[in-house]
């Protein structure tokens, strides 16, 4: 490395690392490093480029550091970065580097997950030679109709920003564009800068100002006064208003503003998966989860609401119960969102602004307004009824427990034990299967950052790498990763990363011998749980309905270096949780293995999710399911009426 006046000679890989190490974000006067480090797996695309640069950075004196963490699966490392970014309210993230070909394409699922969830992550996939002098190289995709096409083009539709650096001169604009999108709360998501392997190792004389410390301010867009006035007028006209709190409440840090708004007005609050914890569990206006996996309290109020106030929600189909949740014939919507794209959904009145700022302004504009006392009483009554159902799920009656096989618990019991014995600031992490729905209904949130369920992409395998990301982001909290056997088998290998980094994550591994969630869904759709159980093929029938597979997931986790505790009763589970809590913070991952019965379900949300059923079938179960599906479809609504009526 040499320097001349005003320039420094570095490879493209070295320039990327030095640049990333000097990026900061700032909001409300508080600064933090934008990149906590770089997650990666090296191969013949990045080992001599980004890999060499990270080594040089680690050994250099007087440079800002970009720490490196070795992952075991490229998809998993993106999940870790995304979970970290979510826990940090989108103000910090990680970069992810991967090798040519499958190493890079393994990151595609993580890219989609990040973009769906509006969470920032920087992806640095490696590419084949920009010069093409040695092509086709190992792992190169050849397209006869487009010589410049590479597998990295698959990132284009999954990314909020994409660039390919084919010449060193292109790097500054690519990096600056990437930072702009990563720190924009409206545009953020997966950001991809593809780096051909020869370009990564190419030297160039860079302007020294490229590596100066940069601070990217994360804005809080203010609402327009006319929008607040219109929203206040519409809400004042309501008799049964209802709030849907989404993830934007957390990313804005708007929990206190929402609490002030709901307390001043008495308007009840339902929560999406991303918005759960927007109000503490015992708040009188907190009605818990809303939608397909919602509480009966929130869903009853949503069904009656004449004005729905969406705050930081993208109105996914689980939140709207596939557009059947809001059944009032005259229902109208007020949508507070930093992104116009989301604020415009369901024909709502748009308040395009930061959630905290908009709620603060709206509370002032609503001064003197409050719902009728009878509406508050109804909220309390509905909540008491639901909370009693939660208690029953956590502590099932003897007629249920006596029928269980020896050593087998209900999933509700497992969740209840973890909820009761964890500390209020501990974080629960989950993503796919039946547990996200049960957690949405049953988990009692006691801290704004203690609930972390990825349900935008609901990606099997997210759980363990996601738990690592949360623990890296918030090392003072214990992290409970709740994962079923189906999801665990998708991505158990990141336990090795947790062992390597001495990260204490407590994995509660629920063994129910198959796909609990899809099994239940299959049954409800008339497909008889086909292909959802882990069983041998039956020699007599040729079907997968033989004996259970002799899978020992506890032994698997133990072989990967985790401490394993096997619990065969509620008492043993409770003791396992206490022991895991008492374990040292640097002792690595702890896996608690427990078996549950997949046929015992959580309380019904009395709601619906639209999954089409075969219109014709030889099976009686499918025909009956289609009849039920048709009845539910009749309640689906387009929500096309304008929020601001012109006939008044």
């Amino acid at each position: 490395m040499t320097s001349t006046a005003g320039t420094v000679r570095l490879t493209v890989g070295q320039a990327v690392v030095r640049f990333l190490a000097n990026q900061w974000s700032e909001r409300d006067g508080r600064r933090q490093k934008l990149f906590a480090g770089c997650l990666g797996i090296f191969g013949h695309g990045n080992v001599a480029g980004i890999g060499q640069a990270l080594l040089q950075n680690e050994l250099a004196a007087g440079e800002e550091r970009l720490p490196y963490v070795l992952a075991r699966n490229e998809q998993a490392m993106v999940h870790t970065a995304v979970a970290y970014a979510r826990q940090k309210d989108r103000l910090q993230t990680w970069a992810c580097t991967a090798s040519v070909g499958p190493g890079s394409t393994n990151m595609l699922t993580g890219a989609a997950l990040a973009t769906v969830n509006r969470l920032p992550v920087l992806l640095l996939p490696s590419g084949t030679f920009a010069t093409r002098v040695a092509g086709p190289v190992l792992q190169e995709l050849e397209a006869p109709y487009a010589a410049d096409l590479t597998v990295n083009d698959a990132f284009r539709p999954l990314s909020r920003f994409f660039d390919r650096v084919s010449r060193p001169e292109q790097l500054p604009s690519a990096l600056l564009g990437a930072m702009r999108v990563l720190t924009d709360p409206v545009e953020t998501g997966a950001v991809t800068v593809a780096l051909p392997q020869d370009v990564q190792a190419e030297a160039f004389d860079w302007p020294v100002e490229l590596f100066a410390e940069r601070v990217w301010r994360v804005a809080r867009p203010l609402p327009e006064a006319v929008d607040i006035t219109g929203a206040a007028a519409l809400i004042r006209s309501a008799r049964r208003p209802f709030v849907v709190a989404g993830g934007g409440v957390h990313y804005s840090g708007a929990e206190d503003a929402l609490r002030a708004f709901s307390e001043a007005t008495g308007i009840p609050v339902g929560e999406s998966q991303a918005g759960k914890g927007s109000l503490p569990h015992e708040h009188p206006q907190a009605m818990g989860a809303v939608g397909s996996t919602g509480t009966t309290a929130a869903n009853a109020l949503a069904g009656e609401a004449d004005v729905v106030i969406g705050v930081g929600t993208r109105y996914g189909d689980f939140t709207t119960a596939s557009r059947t949740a809001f059944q009032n014939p005259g229902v109208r919507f007020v949508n507070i969102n930093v992104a116009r794209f989301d604020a415009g959904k369901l024909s709502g009145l748009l308040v395009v602004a930061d959630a905290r700022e908009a709620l603060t302004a709206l509370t002032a504009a609503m001064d003197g307004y409050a719902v009728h006392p009878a509406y508050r009483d109804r909220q309390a009554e509905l909540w008491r009824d639901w909370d009693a159902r939660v208690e029953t799920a956590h502590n099932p009656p003897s007629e249920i427990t006596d029928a269980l096989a020896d050593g087998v618990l209900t999933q509700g019991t497992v969740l209840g034990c973890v909820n009761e014995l964890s500390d209020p600031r501990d974080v629960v992490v989950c993503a796919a299967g039946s547990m996200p729905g049960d957690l949405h209904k049953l988990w009692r949130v006691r801290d704004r950052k203690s609930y972390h369920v990825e349900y935008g992409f609901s990606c099997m395998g997210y759980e363990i790498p996601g738990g690592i990301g949360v623990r890296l982001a918030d090392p003072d909290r214990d992290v409970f990763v709740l994962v079923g056997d189906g999801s665990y088998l998708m991505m158990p290998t990141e336990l090795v990363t947790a062992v390597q980094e001495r990260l204490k994550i407590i994995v509660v591994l629920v063994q129910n011998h198959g796909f609990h969630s899809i099994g239940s869904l299959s049954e409800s759709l008339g497909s008889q749980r086909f292909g959802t159980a882990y069983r041998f093929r039956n020699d007599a029938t040729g079907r997968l309905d033989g004996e259970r597979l002799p899978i020992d997931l506890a032994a698997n986790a133990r072989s990967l270096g985790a401490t394993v505790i096997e619990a065969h009763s509620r008492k043993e589970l409770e003791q396992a949780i206490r022991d895991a809590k008492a374990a040292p913070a640097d002792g690595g991952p702890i896996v608690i293995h427990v078996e549950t019965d997949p046929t015992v379900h959580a309380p019904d949300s009395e709601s619906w999710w639209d999954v089409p059923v075969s219109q014709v079938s030889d099976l009686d179960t499918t025909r009956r399911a289609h009849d039920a599906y048709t009845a539910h479809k009749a309640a689906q609504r387009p929500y096309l009426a304008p929020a601001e009526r012109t006939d008044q």
Side-chain angles (χ1 to χ4, degrees):
M1 180 176 65
T2 59
S3 299
T4 60
T7 65
V8 58
R9 191 163 182 79
L10 301 168
T11 67
V12 167
Q14 293 161 3
V16 168
V17 169
R18 184 173 292 194
F19 177 89
L20 297 181
N22 283 285
Q23 305 307 299
W24 296 71
S25 68
E26 180 270 322
R27 189 174 70 177
D28 300 335
R30 180 177 178 181
R31 296 197 333 165
Q32 49 275 314
K33 277 287 190 75
L34 179 56
F35 295 99
C38 183
L39 294 149
I41 300 175
F42 298 131
H44 79 101
N46 60 349
V47 65
I50 295 292
Q52 188 280 336
L54 287 165
L55 169 64
Q56 184 166 300
N57 175 262
E58 186 173 288
L59 298 176
E63 287 187 15
E64 287 289 339
R65 289 284 180 264
L66 189 70
Y68 170 70
V69 170
L70 169 62
R72 268 71 199 172
N73 180 285
E74 292 89 355
Q75 180 190 140
M77 70 189 184
V78 182
H79 295 335
T80 294
V82 167
Y84 186 99
R86 174 171 168 174
Q87 195 70 10
K88 291 292 190 178
D89 291 331
R90 305 194 295 198
L91 298 174
Q92 290 181 277
T93 187
W94 287 69
C96 298
T97 178
S99 61
V100 168
S104 288
T105 57
N106 279 349
M107 296 196 295
L108 290 169
T109 297
L113 181 145
T115 295
V116 165
N117 286 287
R118 282 69 161 163
L119 290 166
V121 60
L122 176 62
L123 308 179
L124 302 172
S126 298
T128 50
F129 286 82
T131 60
R132 307 183 196 169
V133 296
V137 301
L138 179 66
Q139 300 176 322
E140 178 176 356
L141 173 72
E142 292 184 276
Y145 58 88
D148 64 341
L149 186 72
T150 79
V151 294
N152 289 341
D153 287 285
F155 286 95
R156 290 180 184 271
L158 307 178
S159 303
R160 295 298 292 170
F161 177 90
F162 177 93
D163 201 353
R164 178 183 287 112
V165 179
S166 298
R167 291 294 308 144
E169 294 91 338
Q170 298 168 350
L171 183 66
S173 63
L175 290 176
L176 293 171
M179 298 308 108
R180 171 184 58 80
V181 174
L182 286 169
T183 56
D184 185 338
V186 177
E187 296 294 333
T188 198
V191 166
T192 301
V193 178
L195 298 168
Q197 59 178 311
D198 52 344
V199 175
Q200 287 188 41
E202 187 172 348
F204 189 75
D205 294 320
W206 306 95
V208 292
E209 56 263 34
L210 177 63
F211 308 111
E213 183 178 286
R214 294 176 192 270
V215 180
W216 300 84
R217 188 175 63 83
V218 179
R220 287 191 180 277
L222 299 176
E224 292 194 29
V226 64
D227 294 335
I228 292 295
T229 299
L234 183 54
I235 298 168
R236 284 180 180 276
S237 73
R239 296 180 57 198
R240 293 178 297 278
F242 181 78
V243 169
V244 175
V249 173
H250 292 309
Y251 302 142
S252 172
E255 295 89 356
D256 289 343
L258 176 62
R259 183 171 187 162
F261 174 78
S262 64
E263 288 177 351
T265 62
I267 298 175
V269 176
E271 300 163 327
S272 72
Q273 279 280 16
K276 190 168 172 70
S278 294
L279 289 182
H281 169 72
E282 295 182 349
H283 191 279
Q285 271 66 60
M287 297 294 106
V290 66
S292 299
T293 53
T295 71
T296 52
N299 284 341
L301 295 171
E304 301 166 359
D306 46 3
V307 171
V308 175
I309 307 152
V311 185
T313 177
R314 65 189 189 96
Y315 286 117
D317 65 342
F318 263 72
T319 300
T320 69
S322 298
R323 299 199 175 199
T324 64
F326 312 113
Q327 284 295 314
N328 188 304
V331 65
R332 290 178 287 173
F333 297 84
V334 172
N335 296 331
I336 298 170
N337 205 293
V338 71
R340 181 170 290 271
F341 175 78
D342 289 317
K345 292 176 178 176
L346 307 185
S347 303
L349 188 156
L350 284 72
V351 180
V352 181
D354 174 79
R356 190 189 74 180
E357 299 303 314
L359 283 169
T360 300
L362 188 59
T363 302
M366 296 293 298
D367 186 40
Y369 168 87
V371 300
H372 194 279
Y375 191 45
R376 291 180 187 261
D377 293 342
R378 176 156 171 73
Q379 297 170 41
E381 179 184 2
L382 288 168
W383 185 252
R384 282 193 299 270
D385 177 69
W386 175 256
D387 213 30
R389 299 191 197 191
V390 173
E391 278 297 316
T392 301
H394 286 175
N395 303 281
S398 58
E399 56 263 30
I400 292 178
T401 57
D402 290 348
L404 297 173
D406 186 42
V408 176
L409 303 178
T410 70
Q411 189 159 279
T413 297
V414 173
L415 302 189
C417 288
V418 177
N419 204 170
E420 178 182 346
L421 295 173
S422 59
D423 291 337
R425 294 185 71 255
D426 291 348
V427 185
V428 61
V429 177
C430 194
S434 60
M435 278 193 287
D438 289 359
L439 286 165
H440 198 205
K441 298 175 188 178
L442 304 177
W443 193 262
R444 291 164 170 165
V445 179
R446 298 159 289 174
D447 180 87
R448 66 175 291 268
K449 298 301 291 185
S450 68
Y451 185 87
H452 186 115
V453 174
E454 189 284 300
Y455 217 61
F457 214 46
S458 187
C459 186
M460 296 178 74
Y462 174 91
E463 294 88 349
I464 291 173
I468 290 172
V470 173
R471 182 71 181 187
L472 287 168
D474 228 336
D476 294 332
R477 299 174 187 252
D478 274 336
V479 178
F480 283 86
V481 174
L482 297 182
V483 60
D485 51 345
S487 264
Y488 174 84
L489 285 169
M490 292 279 184
M491 202 81 69
T493 50
E494 291 311 300
L495 282 174
V496 180
T497 302
V499 171
Q500 166 190 282
E501 299 295 328
R502 297 185 175 89
L503 294 172
K504 178 186 174 185
I505 58 172
I506 303 169
V507 179
V508 180
L509 173 51
V510 175
Q511 168 69 282
N512 50 47
H513 304 283
F515 300 124
H516 182 178
S517 174
I518 298 303
S520 299
L521 178 63
S522 172
E523 188 171 44
S524 72
L525 302 179
S527 296
Q528 304 175 12
R529 294 181 176 262
F530 175 71
T532 63
Y534 292 165
R535 294 182 178 272
F536 281 107
R537 190 170 298 280
N538 190 321
D539 291 338
T541 65
R543 304 185 65 204
L544 294 174
D545 60 358
E547 296 296 318
R548 284 179 172 173
L549 300 181
I551 300 171
D552 190 342
L553 297 184
N556 174 265
R558 195 174 286 114
S559 75
L560 297 176
T563 299
V564 177
I565 308 172
E566 298 184 58
H568 302 286
S569 66
R570 178 171 187 146
K571 183 177 180 181
E572 289 184 6
L573 174 61
E574 291 173 344
Q575 188 59 50
I577 295 169
R578 294 188 185 97
D579 291 345
K581 284 284 297 173
D586 61 354
I590 301 164
V591 175
I592 300 173
H593 181 279
V594 60
E595 190 165 346
T596 64
D597 188 328
T599 64
V600 180
H601 302 290
D604 189 5
S605 67
E606 299 179 10
S607 191
W608 184 59
W609 183 39
D610 189 348
V611 179
V613 181
S614 297
Q615 293 184 348
V616 295
S617 175
D618 295 334
L619 304 177
D620 289 339
T621 54
T622 305
R623 288 197 294 268
R624 289 194 297 270
H626 187 263
D627 290 342
Y629 178 77
T630 302
H632 281 295
K633 283 290 280 189
Q636 211 163 31
R637 301 185 58 191
Y639 303 126
L640 295 176
E644 294 180 288
R645 294 179 177 171
T646 58
D647 58 350
Q648 295 180 347

